[in-house]
Amino acid sequence: MIRPTNFSRQRHIVKLLMAALLFPAAAIAEPSEDFAIHCASCHGEDRLGGTGPALIPETLGRVRNLSDIIAHGRPATQMMGFSDQLSPGQIEALVAHIQTPLEETPAWTVDDIQASRDMASGYTPAAKPTFEADPLNITLVVETGDHHVSVLDGDTFDVLDRFPTPYAVHGGPKFSPDGRFVFIMSRDGWVQKYDIWTLKEVGRLRAGLNSRNIAMSHDGQWLAVANYLPQTLTILSTDTMEPVKVIDVVAHNGTLSRVSAVYQAPQRKSFILALKDAPEIWEVATDPDAGPFHDGYVHSYEKDAVEAFGAQEGLFARRRIPVDEPLDDFFFDPDYRNLIGTNREGTKGVVINLISGGKVAELPLPGMPHLGSGITWDWNGVKVMATPHLNEGVLSVIDMADWTLVKQIDTSGPGFFLRSHETSPHVWADVFFGPHKDEVHIIDKQTLEIVKTLNPAPGKTVAHTEFTKDGKYALVSIWEDDGAVVVYDASTLEEVKRLTMRKPSGKYNVWNKISFSDGTSH
């Protein structure tokens, strides 16, 4: 009688033999060769990441069904399937290859970051903008097709400059509080500083090996970089572009964790971190007078006597906020008193009060809500938030006073981004996934009904709306290599201009971002 473990092993051998018959050339291929041919261009020759994430055990711990992902791709990402190019045996060997630890665990220290620092030799700061346009009505367009950013005049839509960025920009650019400088980050950890007044790059450095996003401190002095690899938070001086601190992200139980994202909480004078591998939220102070924050119980019987563990205080002091399970995607109410996060499965939302650290509500948000694209507005005398869902064609509208579901608005497919403006009566919602990816819904903020559906490029992906400073115009991306930015009159909903671009993705208006404009995700 064959024991089940032996049977499973024999069945696996049979699969490999069949693959050898069906793909005779593939059967003798080395997985390292397959990786070099099919994977390295996106994930790096050293497996440390590029356009795609690092493919090493440290970053794949929670990823399931790797074979299926390699064969069929991954929804909502640029990961394509390779079942038509790789045999089942090759795929299994490739899975084993990327699950094999590197000979040395990669590190990226303060010294490494400092050594990567490259400041532009020809840069000289200007005393005032070198152009006639309103510097606060500049809109940056990230063109992922050829890794550039176009600088648009928000009144005329003339391109003032078009500059190269690090490879594979990820996450939204972050502006200094006065709107003069912008910081741009790539998936492989490079951070670039650009002077909008002079239309020149200031410099760049590599803050991590595989990074998620960046956040600006409330006072504009510090830039935080969330890293998958190594599992750290890097803090840079925005003035000198030098590293000032690298914080190892270690949970209370000693587990190393990747940082899913870092956010600015300006009213709290802090950064908020989403930990991907631990049931904690971190708050890192950008206030020199912050704290003390204690990791353990605080007990004292005498005046001014404190018995506690793990106390931190001052600039960059860390506060731990325990949660029931890791939370991936965050949204904040306008005064940053409450954080709304989603669980790993994307089946619900959880409201955490940042003052007490306690859970105050759970939200019925199935279908993988994309809280990072959520927005707020005033509806019937109350503040509401809305979020698209990545797995179903609805927008959820939530009353932020009692955290109840106001309405789920049916759309023609799952969306990725929402945008509005305080002067606009409408919410603009794309339909990023599925057969209706070429549509943009215009939704009335008060009736919560779709009043019009735009189709600026039939058959092509249309996404990500941004408004000009005054809300007069709305800019929409045709998310294709031969794409465009389409400018609409936000009142009449008529097209007024079309600018040819190379796969334009995000668009970011200086004023809307630095003023935390209502209707813009932060």
Side-chain angles (χ1 to χ4, degrees):
M1 178 176 173
I2 299 176
R3 292 162 55 182
T5 54
N6 290 335
F7 177 75
S8 298
R9 188 177 296 112
Q10 286 187 357
R11 185 170 59 180
H12 182 68
I13 292 171
V14 169
K15 286 174 62 178
L16 293 179
L17 290 173
M18 291 180 64
L21 294 172
L22 294 173
F23 300 84
I28 60 173
E30 289 291 332
S32 59
E33 295 176 8
D34 285 333
F35 184 91
I37 295 170
H38 300 289
C39 311
S41 62
C42 289
H43 298 280
E45 293 181 2
D46 51 11
R47 295 164 50 201
L48 293 180
T51 310
L55 296 181
I56 58 175
E58 292 88 342
T59 59
L60 294 172
R62 291 182 175 270
V63 179
R64 301 292 182 263
N65 302 318
L66 281 169
S67 299
D68 187 65
I69 292 172
I70 294 172
H72 304 295
R74 198 170 194 179
T77 73
Q78 297 181 46
M79 175 65 188
M80 59 181 287
F82 291 91
S83 60
D84 60 339
Q85 301 176 58
L86 298 173
S87 73
Q90 281 179 289
I91 291 174
E92 292 299 325
L94 195 52
V95 169
H97 176 67
I98 64 178
Q99 289 179 329
T100 302
L102 297 176
E103 293 183 4
E104 294 183 7
T105 301
W108 199 246
T109 66
V110 169
D111 289 341
D112 294 321
I113 298 169
Q114 182 68 41
S116 73
R117 181 172 174 267
D118 182 17
M119 306 305 289
S121 59
Y123 167 73
T124 302
K128 62 180 182 178
T130 56
F131 48 82
E132 297 299 322
D134 179 357
L136 296 181
N137 196 25
I138 295 296
T139 295
L140 301 187
V141 182
V142 176
E143 297 183 64
T144 59
D146 61 355
H147 314 292
H148 279 71
V149 164
S150 284
V151 183
L152 297 185
D153 179 335
D155 294 305
T156 65
F157 303 108
D158 292 335
V159 177
L160 304 179
D161 188 30
R162 188 173 189 269
F163 62 91
T165 66
Y167 186 75
V169 168
H170 191 258
K174 296 298 182 287
F175 298 93
S176 58
D178 61 2
R180 171 167 185 170
F181 298 102
V182 64
F183 296 81
I184 297 167
M185 190 212 76
S186 67
R187 280 294 294 268
D188 56 0
W190 283 94
V191 178
Q192 175 185 32
K193 180 179 180 181
Y194 180 86
D195 184 345
I196 294 174
W197 283 15
T198 61
L199 302 176
K200 297 289 185 182
E201 178 175 340
V202 180
R204 62 179 70 187
L205 85 175
R206 193 175 190 185
L209 298 174
N210 187 257
S211 304
R212 295 297 296 170
N213 77 323
I214 54 178
M216 176 73 63
S217 65
H218 70 283
D219 55 9
Q221 291 190 61
W222 317 111
L223 192 77
V225 185
N227 296 315
Y228 263 19
L229 189 70
Q231 292 108 315
T232 59
L233 180 76
T234 299
I235 299 178
L236 309 174
S237 164
T238 57
D239 182 29
T240 65
M241 285 291 284
E242 292 181 295
V244 295
K245 194 174 185 65
V246 174
I247 302 173
D248 292 323
V249 181
V250 183
H252 195 266
N253 65 3
T255 302
L256 278 169
S257 177
R258 293 166 289 173
V259 184
S260 296
V262 60
Y263 304 87
Q264 174 193 22
Q267 290 91 328
R268 298 185 58 78
K269 298 182 180 180
S270 66
F271 294 123
I272 305 294
L273 276 66
L275 271 60
K276 193 170 186 66
D277 305 304
E280 297 179 14
I281 296 165
W282 280 17
E283 184 171 22
V284 175
T286 54
D287 179 3
D289 298 322
F293 305 124
H294 303 280
D295 279 353
Y297 292 104
V298 178
H299 175 70
S300 173
Y301 288 108
E302 300 177 9
K303 182 180 180 181
D304 298 326
V306 176
E307 300 170 21
F309 300 98
Q312 294 191 13
E313 57 185 319
L315 188 63
F316 309 137
R318 181 214 59 232
R319 174 193 176 205
R320 298 184 195 270
I321 302 175
V323 291
D324 294 336
E325 56 186 319
L327 301 176
D328 268 349
D329 199 10
F330 284 2
F331 179 85
F332 298 89
D333 58 11
D335 59 6
Y336 285 78
R337 292 173 61 88
N338 295 294
L339 172 155
I340 303 91
T342 54
N343 64 347
R344 183 65 43 75
E345 292 74 24
T347 58
K348 65 180 179 181
V350 180
V351 184
I352 305 294
N353 183 274
L354 290 173
I355 299 173
S356 69
K359 182 172 71 174
V360 297
E362 286 192 5
L363 306 179
L365 295 175
M368 197 174 290
H370 188 211
L371 293 175
S373 289
I375 62 171
T376 64
W377 69 88
D378 294 321
W379 174 81
N380 287 346
V382 299
K383 183 72 73 174
V384 296
M385 63 164 285
T387 178
H389 293 250
L390 300 180
N391 282 353
E392 59 181 342
V394 297
L395 304 176
S396 290
V397 182
I398 303 291
D399 184 331
M400 300 184 74
D402 58 12
W403 304 109
T404 57
L405 180 66
V406 173
K407 184 177 181 179
Q408 285 198 321
I409 304 170
D410 290 327
T411 62
S412 56
F416 207 77
F417 299 104
L418 293 182
R419 282 293 186 274
S420 188
H421 191 274
E422 52 264 31
T423 66
S424 174
H426 300 128
V427 173
W428 293 55
D430 58 51
V431 185
F432 196 83
F433 308 105
H436 298 281
K437 63 183 181 179
D438 52 4
E439 295 181 355
V440 177
H441 294 310
I442 311 300
I443 301 166
D444 188 287
K445 286 182 178 177
Q446 300 308 311
T447 66
L448 306 182
E449 300 288 343
I450 297 173
V451 295
K452 188 169 185 177
T453 296
L454 303 175
N455 192 322
K460 297 187 176 181
T461 301
V462 178
H464 196 279
T465 302
E466 175 63 301
F467 286 79
T468 53
K469 173 184 173 183
D470 56 8
K472 184 177 180 181
Y473 298 103
L475 285 66
V476 178
S477 289
I478 300 175
W479 202 303
E480 307 284 347
D481 194 55
D482 57 345
V485 168
V486 184
V487 182
Y488 285 93
D489 184 303
S491 297
T492 66
L493 307 181
E494 297 294 327
E495 180 179 335
V496 297
K497 198 164 189 175
R498 188 169 291 223
L499 308 171
T500 300
M501 299 276 181
R502 292 287 305 278
K503 200 173 185 180
S505 53
K507 298 166 298 302
Y508 307 90
N509 180 269
V510 172
W511 174 255
N512 290 344
K513 288 301 181 183
I514 67 173
S515 67
F516 294 86
S517 173
D518 199 8
T520 299
S521 61
H522 305 141

